[in-house]
Amino acid sequence: MLNRIYNWVDERLDITPLWRDIADHEVPEHVNPAHHFSAFVYCFGGLTFFIVVIQILSGMFLAMYYVPDIENAWQSVYYLQYEVAYGKIIRSMHHWGASLAIVMMFLHMLRVFFQGAYKKPRELNWIVGVLIFFVMLGLGLTGYLLPWDMKALFATKVTLNIIESVPFIGEHLKVFIAGDSEIVGAQTITRFFAIHVFFLPAALLGLIALHFIMIRKQGISGPL
Amino acid sequence: MSKKGVTRRQFLNYTLTGVGGFMASATLLPMLRFAADPLLQTKQESDFVVTDKKISEITSEPVRVDFAYEQTDGWYSSTVTNTAWVYKNEKGEIVALSPVCTHLGCMVDWNTNEKYPNKFYCPCHDGLYTKDGKNVEGTPPTRPLDVYTHKEVDGYLALGKVKPREEA
């Protein structure tokens, strides 16, 4: 049955070469943990991507209950965690996944750094990777405010103070991000929500696409 | 053809770039202005808020004065309570210090840490300020506590905007 559906589509759209390009290629021996166990270090990039997928999925489902509003945000988080079936699991996935994604990304970066895999011709991919790093930190930062508890509020106040200390444009930057020159409030949480849920994920997906296209184009770096 | 200077291909390229640029900017500019609105909104100067602290009751010992006022945050209005540390200095002038630590924005307290008597102490990173609000060297804060502008209204203390001080 599945085969027939595939053939029906393939006959019309010729998707087999496309599929080959994306997924049908050999994994070189030196990156295959089945050959050399130490090659597990090559897994961190893929693990980061795997966790990013989990983050996007769990985030989509959290958004079914979450409200980015100072009166209701905390209540909605409390409700989705304690009243909704599996709420604790979904929120925990997103909560712990956020930290784990940063950890995995950092390990991936260490591997690339210490193997010198960023060297010519892969400099551009390193740069895109660093941009991904910043976007991920931005996601962690904006997501931290959304539960709207004391920890979130004061962590964000500290963050905004740090942003304010940027030379020359610091104060404007702070107002632009917080939505108000003094208050961390209604306008801040809606801004952070929009950035966390729409702007940064869009940027992240674009950068990840670039990251992967460059890997496919250049191939993975050779054995040490 | 060459006399005219512009080929058909060039003409079409220019036109398409122009129209495309117009369409892109017509889409993006309103969005950017929309996002930057908090930067460009003019705020009216906040008025003085009269506290329930009588001027005559202020001594040379800093006391905590809480005062409430209406705050508008976009579409959300609420009553907010703010705090000042108020005392009279040696010259008899009123000093109203903001409790917000200039390091990372925690709340300082007067004379609460036994190790540092008669100092403003910040519990977050052990920041210290002397009574006149000056930051103690060797602790995290890099500048003195901010001060409130203040005036007297019918014998009561009224507090206005918070003003940062330079290294005094």
Side-chain angles (χ1 to χ4, degrees):
Chain A
M1 181 63 192
L2 273 179
N3 227 352
R4 283 185 55 201
I5 294 174
Y6 180 87
N7 287 336
W8 189 89
V9 175
D10 195 38
E11 200 184 332
R12 270 144 260 259
L13 294 171
D14 194 24
I15 55 174
T16 301
L18 221 105
W19 175 243
R20 286 235 166 93
D21 275 352
I22 294 169
D24 190 15
H25 57 281
E26 247 178 74
V27 177
E29 193 189 311
H30 73 282
V31 303
N32 189 342
H35 286 272
H36 311 284
F37 180 69
S38 62
F40 74 85
V41 292
Y42 288 94
C43 291
F44 294 132
L47 286 172
T48 311
F49 180 65
F50 174 62
I51 297 167
V52 163
V53 171
I54 292 178
Q55 291 305 96
I56 291 173
L57 283 175
S58 57
M60 279 159 56
F61 283 93
L62 286 174
M64 286 182 164
Y65 294 91
Y66 177 75
V67 193
D69 168 69
I70 50 175
E71 296 271 9
N72 296 305
W74 191 87
Q75 298 289 351
S76 70
V77 173
Y78 187 90
Y79 181 85
L80 75 85
Q81 179 167 350
Y82 293 109
E83 306 285 330
V84 181
Y86 294 127
K88 220 175 224 174
I89 292 178
I90 304 298
R91 181 159 182 238
S92 296
M93 285 163 87
H94 207 70
H95 176 98
W96 296 107
S99 300
L100 206 56
I102 305 277
V103 170
M104 287 302 160
M105 184 174 60
F106 202 81
L107 291 173
H108 173 60
M109 191 187 75
L110 289 181
R111 188 228 104 200
V112 172
F113 182 78
F114 284 112
Q115 292 193 337
Y118 56 85
K119 290 174 187 172
K120 192 185 173 189
R122 296 182 178 76
E123 308 97 315
L124 270 179
N125 218 0
W126 172 266
I127 290 169
V128 169
V130 172
L131 292 178
I132 290 175
F133 198 128
F134 289 148
V135 169
M136 294 281 277
L137 291 184
L139 280 162
L141 185 90
T142 48
Y144 207 83
L145 177 70
L146 299 182
W148 201 243
D149 52 12
M150 279 295 170
K151 192 173 67 167
L153 176 70
F154 282 100
T156 302
K157 284 194 175 180
V158 170
T159 309
L160 290 171
N161 277 335
I162 295 170
I163 289 169
E164 202 177 3
S165 67
V166 171
F168 307 114
I169 56 163
E171 257 171 69
H172 297 292
L173 203 60
K174 181 199 161 187
V175 179
F176 185 68
I177 290 167
D180 191 283
S181 53
E182 278 139 43
I183 309 163
V184 178
Q187 303 188 83
T188 318
I189 198 171
T190 48
R191 261 171 192 259
F192 274 46
F193 180 73
I195 293 170
H196 185 76
V197 171
F198 295 108
F199 288 86
L200 290 181
L204 184 67
L205 289 178
L207 288 170
I208 287 179
L210 279 178
H211 210 59
F212 288 0
I213 289 167
M214 279 192 258
I215 299 170
R216 288 311 313 276
K217 188 91 184 167
Q218 300 177 319
I220 200 158
S221 58
L224 293 177
Chain B
M1 179 57 93
S2 58
K3 264 186 193 168
K4 287 181 183 170
V6 178
T7 62
R8 182 190 299 256
R9 176 177 296 246
Q10 274 175 325
F11 172 76
L12 284 172
N13 269 341
Y14 293 155
T15 326
L16 279 175
T17 312
V19 172
F22 175 76
M23 282 166 69
S25 51
T27 318
L28 288 174
L29 286 178
M31 294 176 187
L32 290 177
R33 179 60 182 83
F34 185 82
D37 195 55
L39 277 174
L40 302 164
Q41 261 179 21
T42 46
K43 275 206 156 180
Q44 69 241 39
E45 278 289 300
S46 56
D47 294 326
F48 280 87
V49 181
V50 181
T51 65
D52 57 4
K53 191 79 191 163
K54 278 192 179 134
I55 295 275
S56 55
E57 283 173 359
I58 299 171
T59 63
S60 63
E61 179 72 9
V63 283
R64 186 188 163 123
V65 175
D66 291 324
F67 58 103
Y69 61 98
E70 260 327 283
Q71 177 186 269
T72 312
D73 175 17
W75 55 91
Y76 186 82
S77 309
S78 56
T79 310
V80 178
T81 308
N82 228 336
T83 303
W85 285 98
V86 181
Y87 67 94
K88 277 182 182 148
N89 64 15
E90 303 92 68
K91 291 177 212 154
E93 297 162 342
I94 290 169
V95 179
L97 294 171
S98 158
V100 180
C101 183
T102 56
H103 176 222
L104 285 176
C106 296
M107 295 293 177
V108 301
D109 236 331
W110 170 254
N111 210 3
T112 43
N113 192 314
E114 285 171 11
K115 269 196 265 172
Y116 309 108
N118 294 319
K119 291 264 190 316
F120 288 105
Y121 174 73
C122 180
C124 290
H125 307 94
D126 292 333
L128 283 177
Y129 304 85
T130 55
K131 188 177 162 188
D132 56 359
K134 267 184 214 150
N135 50 309
V136 174
E137 199 140 333
T139 64
T142 52
R143 60 187 174 84
L145 290 171
D146 296 342
V147 285
Y148 284 98
T149 53
H150 60 83
K151 63 179 182 186
E152 188 182 334
V153 176
D154 301 332
Y156 285 90
L157 175 71
L159 295 174
K161 261 183 110 60
V162 173
K163 290 251 159 68
R165 291 190 292 183
E166 291 307 310
E167 197 76 46

